[in-house]
């Protein structure tokens, strides 16, 4: 996690919030890579955006 509370991916890039999931008794905050829907997915250093993991 960064100092301002963002979750960090394997490449060290801060992820952005992408909604919530509601369960019995708790709410889970979802996060995603900011390059998830980017046309230039070469910015993802881990390959998780392109499925090359």
């Amino acid at each position: 996690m960064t100092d301002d509370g963002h979750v960090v991916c394997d490449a060290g890039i801060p992820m952005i919030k992408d909604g919530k999931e509601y369960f019995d008794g708790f709410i889970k905050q979802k996060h995603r890579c900011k390059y998830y829907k980017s046309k230039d997915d070469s910015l993802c250093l881990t390959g998780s955006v392109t499925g090359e993991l």
Side-chain angles (χ1 to χ4, degrees):
M1 258 193 183
T2 61
D3 292 337
D4 58 354
H6 286 93
V7 176
V8 179
C9 73
D10 293 338
I13 301 169
M15 300 176 84
I16 59 175
K17 292 181 181 177
D18 190 36
K20 298 177 182 177
E21 285 185 271
Y22 297 92
F23 297 97
D24 291 332
F26 68 97
I27 300 171
K28 178 181 175 184
Q29 182 71 48
K30 297 188 322 184
H31 295 85
R32 68 170 175 88
C33 177
K34 61 182 174 181
Y35 301 119
Y36 176 67
K37 293 189 178 188
S38 174
K39 290 183 180 180
D40 183 13
D41 57 11
S42 66
L43 297 171
C44 178
L45 304 174
T46 64
S48 61
V49 172
T50 58
E52 297 174 2
L53 279 177

